Amino acid sequence: ERYVRVMNMIFEHKDKRIRTIFMERYFNGKLNKLKPWHKIAKKVGLSTQGCINIHNKTIEQFKNKIKNETIKF
């Protein structure tokens, strides 16, 4: 259920770079390995650090969103 929720958050995100960054990083690597940041950066047109920053910021947003959804008042 959480996997589906996270995938929906990735695909529904307003910044389309998020979809590319996450799909390239986690699903398009070779032999079940993570794709290197510099290759993702080239595809997205950002610096390596820019991709990492967007990735990490998005992870925090997703964590907070999931945390807030699981809290019931």
Side-chain angles (χ1 to χ4, degrees):
E1 182 181 324
R2 283 189 183 183
Y3 173 79
V4 172
R5 180 67 184 123
V6 170
M7 291 303 289
N8 286 338
M9 286 192 291
I10 290 169
F11 280 93
E12 293 170 358
H13 201 283
K14 63 183 178 184
D15 186 346
K16 299 306 176 194
R17 297 175 300 179
I18 300 299
R19 180 185 311 167
T20 303
I21 290 170
F22 277 82
M23 294 307 292
E24 289 296 318
R25 180 71 173 162
Y26 297 109
F27 298 104
N28 293 342
K30 291 185 178 180
L31 302 172
N32 291 330
K33 292 188 178 183
L34 298 175
K35 185 176 268 191
W37 286 115
H38 69 276
K39 290 184 179 180
I40 299 167
K42 187 174 182 178
K43 184 165 186 161
V44 179
L46 295 171
S47 68
T48 300
Q49 190 60 52
C51 283
I52 294 168
N53 291 346
I54 289 172
H55 173 272
N56 291 347
K57 181 178 177 183
T58 304
I59 292 288
E60 288 304 313
Q61 290 172 349
F62 288 175
K63 282 182 186 178
N64 289 333
K65 192 167 188 175
I66 290 170
K67 181 180 173 185
N68 290 337
E69 287 176 354
T70 58
I71 297 173
K72 304 201 184 212
F73 294 97

